[in-house]
Amino acid sequence: MVESPSRKPETAQSLVRLDDVDRRILRELQRDAGQSLEEIARAVGSSKTPVWNRIRKMRDAGIVGKQTVILDAEALGFEACFFVLVRTSEHEAAWQADFLEAVRERPEVQEAHRLAGDIDYILKVRVKNARAYDAFYQALISQVKVHNVTALLSMEEIKATTALPV
Amino acid sequence: MVESPSRKPETAQSLVRLDDVDRRILRELQRDAGQSLEEIARAVGSSKTPVWNRIRKMRDAGIVGKQTVILDAEALGFEACFFVLVRTSEHEAAWQADFLEAVRERPEVQEAHRLAGDIDYILKVRVKNARAYDAFYQALISQVKVHNVTALLSMEEIKATTALPV
DNA sequence: GCTGAAACCTTCGGGAA
DNA sequence: TTCCCGAAGGTTTCAGC
């Protein structure tokens, strides 16, 4: 795939209009970012230069972000996955900033969302085992004050994709 | 990055022991899979050939999976994200298979886990807007019988990574 | 916009230290 | 093991359509 020579995503709020070919390129990149330009070009029915220019434009617009590799969590010993529902009684900016920092600096938190409704946050936490989850939980509650925490334990990951249906 | 020339991940249940260098390579690959072998080698303090052999071994063992690209969901108009908590009264194999298929074939479902406890499943659903979520919801409940569905609406994604803390 | 081709890098594998 | 080299094949640019 095309290299990523430290181009800064500028506006991110792209005014770039995507056509059908752009979307097909995005589908190919999501499916396998390790393909050669030539393979992508063939798959989308174009040739290397135009595909290269389109990818560059979408990268500059911030639509195409970083290239990564999906690792097998189980094979690496991350055998437990929890969804953690957090309720807080604090709603000040300072508390929010603390919570945000706590979540961002803990590598076991793979996702975190602030929610509407009576549950304030949801976290997705991947750890080696239940003991490691407890260590995470203890660290979190000692760092920020939370009102109520519910952990949902995953028994089986039945689907996992980062792909958007573009 | 190193190409992925259709090598089948064999056992997946790797008996491959990873050392420190392997783990550093995985960290680099997760950070940016678009780097050249040479950059990775420099980052982990080795040289190209051994790094290439280690990546190949980890790919063959199924530890390193597919290479993909992270797209900016907002820039592409996916402005709503829901976590959907599903309870069912059915627990037969046939129902499970139906639910699994429904979830796997719907591209708006990015993640799905079967849970322990009184909530049976959690889904992460990314859609363009609330109306699109409703369309998804209607389609789902008409396809499989569910007892209770609660949707948690994300207001803000405060963290998102696919990286494991290897 | 697209194409084709030239210039330049990288990868991947062999052979030698 | 690691290093070095070279062929093969990739990416990026550019002139011409």
Side-chain angles (χ1 to χ4, degrees):
Chain A
M1 226 288 290
V2 55
E3 295 305 309
S4 10
S6 61
R7 285 182 182 284
K8 40 182 179 277
E10 5 235 64
T11 42
Q13 210 51 284
S14 74
L15 302 164
V16 180
R17 280 238 138 284
L18 301 184
D19 66 11
D20 218 56
V21 176
D22 290 318
R23 267 185 284 271
R24 283 212 289 276
I25 292 170
L26 292 179
R27 280 198 287 274
E28 281 304 313
L29 288 178
Q30 290 193 113
R31 196 176 61 72
D32 179 5
Q35 293 174 94
S36 74
L37 252 196
E38 193 161 10
E39 287 171 301
I40 298 169
R42 197 170 35 244
V44 307
S46 183
S47 57
K48 291 191 302 182
T49 312
V51 169
W52 190 83
N53 284 324
R54 284 162 184 270
I55 292 175
R56 194 154 89 93
K57 205 186 305 170
M58 292 192 283
R59 211 194 283 286
D60 289 353
I63 291 170
V64 172
K66 80 166 190 177
Q67 214 174 127
T68 191
V69 112
I70 305 300
L71 302 185
D72 183 329
E74 303 246 322
L76 287 164
F78 291 86
E79 304 203 319
C81 179
F82 290 85
F83 288 87
V84 182
L85 308 178
V86 176
R87 263 176 267 244
T88 178
S89 38
E90 313 272 328
H91 290 97
E92 300 150 45
W95 184 91
Q96 273 214 9
D98 283 359
F99 183 76
L100 211 133
E101 200 198 327
V103 151
R104 290 224 171 115
E105 77 186 11
R106 305 221 129 258
E108 50 270 75
V109 179
Q110 289 200 307
E111 293 197 45
H113 290 250
R114 184 167 59 79
L115 303 175
D118 68 321
I119 297 167
D120 295 298
Y121 295 91
I122 187 169
L123 313 179
K124 181 186 168 196
V125 177
R126 225 186 246 287
V127 285
K128 303 240 173 197
N129 49 45
R131 165 176 268 99
Y133 172 73
D134 192 50
F136 161 77
Y137 169 76
Q138 297 293 343
L140 182 73
I141 61 169
S142 76
Q143 201 170 349
V144 292
K145 187 179 155 199
V146 294
H147 175 248
N148 181 277
V149 176
T150 304
L152 309 176
L153 169 60
S154 170
M155 290 282 97
E156 186 187 5
E157 186 172 275
I158 62 182
K159 181 172 186 177
T161 180
T162 58
L164 295 169
V166 285
Chain B
M1 225 291 290
V2 55
E3 295 305 308
S4 11
S6 60
R7 283 182 185 284
K8 37 182 180 284
E10 6 234 66
T11 44
Q13 208 52 283
S14 73
L15 302 165
V16 180
R17 281 238 137 285
L18 302 183
D19 66 11
D20 218 56
V21 176
D22 290 319
R23 268 186 282 272
R24 282 212 289 275
I25 292 172
L26 292 178
R27 279 198 287 275
E28 281 304 313
L29 288 177
Q30 291 192 114
R31 197 176 60 72
D32 179 5
Q35 293 173 92
S36 73
L37 252 196
E38 192 161 11
E39 287 172 301
I40 298 169
R42 197 168 37 243
V44 307
S46 182
S47 58
K48 292 190 299 182
T49 314
V51 169
W52 189 80
N53 285 323
R54 284 162 184 270
I55 293 175
R56 196 153 87 91
K57 205 184 309 171
M58 291 192 284
R59 211 194 283 288
D60 289 353
I63 292 170
V64 172
K66 80 167 191 176
Q67 215 173 126
T68 190
V69 111
I70 304 301
L71 303 184
D72 183 329
E74 304 245 321
L76 288 164
F78 292 86
E79 304 203 321
C81 179
F82 291 85
F83 287 87
V84 182
L85 308 179
V86 176
R87 262 177 268 244
T88 178
S89 36
E90 314 271 330
H91 290 95
E92 300 150 46
W95 184 92
Q96 273 213 12
D98 283 0
F99 183 76
L100 211 133
E101 199 198 327
V103 151
R104 291 227 170 112
E105 77 187 9
R106 306 221 127 258
E108 49 273 73
V109 178
Q110 290 201 307
E111 292 196 46
H113 290 250
R114 184 166 60 79
L115 302 176
D118 69 319
I119 297 166
D120 295 298
Y121 294 92
I122 186 168
L123 312 178
K124 181 185 168 198
V125 177
R126 226 185 245 289
V127 284
K128 303 240 173 197
N129 49 45
R131 165 176 267 98
Y133 172 72
D134 193 49
F136 161 77
Y137 170 76
Q138 298 293 344
L140 182 72
I141 61 169
S142 75
Q143 203 170 346
V144 292
K145 188 179 155 200
V146 293
H147 175 248
N148 180 276
V149 177
T150 305
L152 309 176
L153 169 59
S154 171
M155 291 282 96
E156 186 187 3
E157 187 172 274
I158 63 183
K159 181 171 185 177
T161 180
T162 57
L164 295 169
V166 286

